[in-house]
């Protein structure tokens, strides 16, 4: 090929040597590297590299290299896997519950076309998510029926909308909680058009407060477990079992929002209520999240009386808050598979944790210090989980976060703390290597 006139003229503007967009897009190396990216994304990367060359930030000869490196470092989705070294098990900022291997496989299998709403035997349409429903009922035989929706907040929205309409939701003033990031459950309920009928006080609510509020306009009685804080001292609340009689007599459904998702009691969290007990005590519907202590995907789980669940499932809002096939697959596999990572982390043996922590501390030149783990946003407010951490220099927190793997730690009293509770032991090698490389990358 003959040289272009621009190239033969040394005085020409170097910007004229910037390769053309169509040439770059057609370049075999660019095409091979960008298999998993859309043409628009590749075009944007190409344009950004050309712009850098135009501004003189890179020589025109480096444009191709710049594009290849931008494409190579860019996965199709920006969410990155993180090693959670905080010791906080259900960490909302880190995606709450990590899925079990069984649940990951189920998500993979359901990712394409799948029989989520189809009966392969008869060829007819079938009930959506029948497998997840069956797994829930098997795991919680106290429930007559189950419905899975998008998340716990959606479950609460659906229950109050379908049961109360524009009527009243009777609720204790001690349970008007904010669940994080500024979301307040009373605001959520009020947004449905239902009216809150608050009873009792912040610290004490009695049965008579509830019974005095029941009347013609009552849509439902709602009990909310205050999962993220605790009121201690001069307190009194009304048990679910005490409320059942008056609610039945008034023909008013009793809804219990437990949040945490414990289907059965957990010995390590004696203060944490479970779904089975609430149903045995007479709740008509119990609400729980899928990605807290249940250890599954984001989901809102409604368990309870068949007629009440049917009312919820029939409501138009149910369609707007339904669970997607990936969540249904992961939920079923979480319920039928082995112990999920969340419960593994909760039940870590402090002795074994200590040994792992000591080994890592020795390898990376840190100290072992006592460090309590926490359940986090999933419940068990204020319950310390005895454990340990490797204490490192606090200026390692940023390079560890920005490294590969990304590691999120806690900085306390000038130490960067690495808590192994929520990290599988199989990752210890990578963790040690990451600490070494974080040290090396410091200025
Ligand atoms: C977490 C929680 C919710 C909200 O559930 P999401 O699944 O986060 O939408 C509602 N109520 C209680 C008591 C909770 O703990």
């Amino acid at each position: 090929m003959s040289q272009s006139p621009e190239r033969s003229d040394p005085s020409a503007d170097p910007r004229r040597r910037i390769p053309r967009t169509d040439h770059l897009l057609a370049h075999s190396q660019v095409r091979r590297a960008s298999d998993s990216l859309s043409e628009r994304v590749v075009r944007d990367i190409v344009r950004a590299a050309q712009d850098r060359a135009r501004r003189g930030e890179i020589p025109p000869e480096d444009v191709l290299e710049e594009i290849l490196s931008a494409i190579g470092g860019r996965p199709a989705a920006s969410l990155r896997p993180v090693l959670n070294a905080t010791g906080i098990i259900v960490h909302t900022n880190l995606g709450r519950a990590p899925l079990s291997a069984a649940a990951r496989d189920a998500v993979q299998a359901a990712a394409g076309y799948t029989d989520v709403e189809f009966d392969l035997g008869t060829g007819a349409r079938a009930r959506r998510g029948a497998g997840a429903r069956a797994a829930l009922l098997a795991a919680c035989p106290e429930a007559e029926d189950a419905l899975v929706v998008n998340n716990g907040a959606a479950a609460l929205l659906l229950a109050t909308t379908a049961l109360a309409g524009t009527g009243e939701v009777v609720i204790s003033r001690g349970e008007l909680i904010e669940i994080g990031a500024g979301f307040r459950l009373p605001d959520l309920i009020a947004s449905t058009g239902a009216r809150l009928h608050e009873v009792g006080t912040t610290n004490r609510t009695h049965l008579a407060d509830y019974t005095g509020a029941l009347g013609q306009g009552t849509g439902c009685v709602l009990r909310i477990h205050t999962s993220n804080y605790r009121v201690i001292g001069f307190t009194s609340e009304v048990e679910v079992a005490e409320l059942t009689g008056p609610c039945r007599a008034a023909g008013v459904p009793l809804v219990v929002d437990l949040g945490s998702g414990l289907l059965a009691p957990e010995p390590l969290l004696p203060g944490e209520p479970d779904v089975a007990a609430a149903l045995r005590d007479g709740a008509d519907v119990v609400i729980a999240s899928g990605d807290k202590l249940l250890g599954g995907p984001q989901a809102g789980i409604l368990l309870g009386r068949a007629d009440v669940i049917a009312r919820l499932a029939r409501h138009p809002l149910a369609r707007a808050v339904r669970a997607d096939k990936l969540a249904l697959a992961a939920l079923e596999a979480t319920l039928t598979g082995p112990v999920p990572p969340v419960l593994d982390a909760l039940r870590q043996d402090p002795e074994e944790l200590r040994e792992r922590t000591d080994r890592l501390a020795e390898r990376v030149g840190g100290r072992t210090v006592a460090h309590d783990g926490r359940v986090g946003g999933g419940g068990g407010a204020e319950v310390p989980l005895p454990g340990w951490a490797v204490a490192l220099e606090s200026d390692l927190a940023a390079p560890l976060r920005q490294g590969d793997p990304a590691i999120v730690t806690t900085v306390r009293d000038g130490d960067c703390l690495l808590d192994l509770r929520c990290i599988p032991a199989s990752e210890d090698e990578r963790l040690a290597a990451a600490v070494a490389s974080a040290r090396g990358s410091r200025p």
Side-chain angles (χ1 to χ4, degrees):
M1 259 193 6
S2 66
Q3 276 203 330
S4 60
E6 300 92 304
R7 283 200 84 141
S8 59
D9 176 6
S11 67
D13 186 341
R15 286 178 297 187
R16 310 205 50 176
R17 301 202 311 274
I18 296 172
R20 282 171 42 178
T21 306
D22 52 349
H23 287 177
L24 288 166
L25 286 174
H27 196 286
S28 60
Q29 275 179 283
V30 172
R31 295 178 62 139
R32 221 172 316 133
S34 56
D35 264 359
S36 63
L37 297 177
S38 77
E39 186 176 332
R40 181 188 53 75
V41 170
V42 179
R43 215 171 255 284
D44 288 347
I45 290 173
V46 164
R47 198 161 300 133
Q50 290 171 318
D51 285 346
R52 288 200 67 197
R54 256 174 229 124
R55 291 193 300 266
E57 292 166 18
I58 55 172
E61 291 71 25
D62 288 1
V63 165
L64 178 62
E65 211 39 53
E66 167 95 359
I67 290 167
L68 290 176
S69 103
I71 291 175
R74 181 174 166 141
S78 63
L79 289 179
R80 292 186 50 202
V82 163
L83 291 182
N84 172 10
T86 63
I88 299 169
I89 299 172
V90 179
H91 199 306
T92 299
N93 301 159
L94 300 182
R96 289 201 179 155
L99 294 182
S100 66
R104 289 170 199 233
D105 288 347
V107 167
Q108 180 72 33
Y113 289 123
T114 185
D115 57 346
V116 63
E117 219 172 284
F118 187 73
D119 185 329
L120 290 170
T122 63
R125 182 175 176 183
R127 183 174 179 150
R128 185 182 179 82
R133 172 176 171 272
L136 277 168
L137 296 181
C140 186
E142 288 79 0
E144 292 174 6
D145 204 351
L147 181 65
V148 183
V149 297
N150 177 57
N151 63 2
L156 189 57
L157 192 71
L158 178 61
T160 47
T161 305
L163 300 179
T166 54
E168 288 185 353
V169 176
V170 175
I171 185 171
S172 162
R173 291 197 173 86
E175 300 174 2
L176 300 173
I177 63 171
E178 177 174 313
I179 53 176
F183 282 104
R184 296 177 166 174
L185 294 187
D187 294 346
L188 180 88
I189 297 162
S191 77
T192 69
R195 279 167 296 131
L196 284 180
H197 186 147
E198 299 173 15
V199 299
T201 61
T202 307
N203 57 329
R204 289 172 71 86
T205 301
H206 307 286
L207 186 59
D209 296 322
Y210 284 101
T211 52
L214 294 176
Q216 279 298 314
T218 310
C220 67
V221 170
L222 176 61
R223 282 232 40 201
I224 297 179
H225 173 55
T226 56
S227 50
N228 52 4
Y229 77 104
R230 190 158 279 190
V231 179
I232 54 168
F234 186 54
T235 66
S236 165
E237 57 177 28
V238 181
E239 299 297 333
V240 170
E242 299 174 76
L243 279 170
T244 314
C247 284
R248 292 250 161 88
V252 168
L254 173 58
V255 180
V256 177
D257 178 8
L258 287 184
S260 81
L262 276 186
L263 298 183
E266 167 56 49
L268 286 169
L269 302 172
E272 198 63 35
D274 62 279
V275 175
L279 289 173
R280 271 199 306 277
D281 285 346
D284 296 302
V285 187
V286 181
I287 294 170
S289 296
D291 54 357
K292 294 180 177 174
L293 289 170
L294 190 78
Q298 177 184 305
I301 296 164
L302 296 133
L303 288 154
R305 260 179 39 205
D307 59 330
V308 181
I309 295 289
R311 242 175 106 184
L312 304 187
R314 272 197 312 270
H315 193 277
L317 193 59
R319 178 63 174 75
V321 295
R322 78 175 184 187
D324 81 304
K325 62 179 179 176
L326 303 182
L328 290 168
L331 180 62
E332 181 180 355
T334 302
L335 291 163
T336 57
V339 176
V342 158
L343 291 183
D344 258 345
L346 178 70
R347 296 171 187 160
Q348 285 282 318
D349 173 25
E351 281 310 305
E352 275 173 38
L353 260 184
R354 166 105 214 199
E355 281 168 30
R356 269 179 76 198
T357 308
D358 281 345
R359 263 199 309 275
L360 183 67
E362 192 169 331
R363 272 194 70 176
V364 302
R367 288 173 293 124
T368 296
V369 297
H371 185 248
D372 290 339
R374 299 273 164 186
V375 173
E382 302 308 307
V383 179
L385 306 169
W388 310 92
V390 177
L392 300 164
E393 313 86 282
S394 66
D395 63 350
L396 283 178
L400 282 172
R401 230 172 32 237
Q402 290 150 19
D404 183 21
I407 301 168
V408 179
T409 62
T410 310
V411 174
R412 186 185 74 185
D413 301 335
D415 287 322
C416 169
L417 300 179
L418 262 166
D419 187 315
L420 300 182
R421 174 181 298 279
C422 307
I423 298 177
S426 57
E427 298 282 4
D428 287 0
E429 280 297 317
R430 275 206 321 151
L431 209 53
V435 172
S437 112
R439 281 226 176 84
S441 74
R442 281 185 304 192

